[in-house]
Amino acid sequence: MTAKQHDDPGPLGGRVAIVSAGEPDAARALAAAGASVVVVGRDATTTGALVRSLLDGGHRTAAFVGDATHDAAALGEMVAELFPDRDHEGPEPA
């Protein structure tokens, strides 16, 4: 689920933040600062509800349902595909 609504020119504009679905306040703060937010969680309902609230606020966001520690490569590929115009860095491959 993604949106290309408004691009906030805030201090994090042009950046992608990956946030746990269990941290809704952090996700909202990062989105308000201009970041595109990828919400990661194992529960589709919880993750989707946070993404929906960010979308309703006009922010660019996406949901990743799964375990980011085990699916890090898939998460990285999703971020690169959905936000090719954004600055994103991940950990160095092992």
Side-chain angles (χ1 to χ4, degrees), residues 7-17 26-27 29-37 86-87:
D7 282 326
D8 256 333
L12 296 179
R15 306 286 263 165
V16 176
L30 290 162
S36 295
V37 177
R86 297 295 174 137
D87 187 11

Side-chain angles (χ1 to χ4, degrees), residues 28-56:
R28 289 184 187 97
L30 290 162
S36 295
V37 177
V38 176
V39 179
V40 177
R42 293 181 186 178
D43 180 72
T45 301
T46 302
T47 303
L50 179 52
V51 167
R52 174 54 48 204
S53 75
L54 294 171
L55 288 171
D56 289 346

Side-chain angles (χ1 to χ4, degrees), residues 9-92:
L12 296 179
R15 306 286 263 165
V16 176
I18 299 173
V19 181
S20 168
E23 297 292 336
D25 292 338
R28 289 184 187 97
L30 290 162
S36 295
V37 177
V38 176
V39 179
V40 177
R42 293 181 186 178
D43 180 72
T45 301
T46 302
T47 303
L50 179 52
V51 167
R52 174 54 48 204
S53 75
L54 294 171
L55 288 171
D56 289 346
H59 302 289
R60 288 182 78 176
T61 186
F64 182 87
V65 178
D67 184 341
T69 58
H70 296 300
D71 300 324
L75 175 58
E77 289 171 12
M78 185 191 92
V79 169
E81 184 176 321
L82 292 177
F83 303 106
D85 60 325
R86 297 295 174 137
D87 187 11
H88 42 77
E89 296 178 16
E92 292 296 318

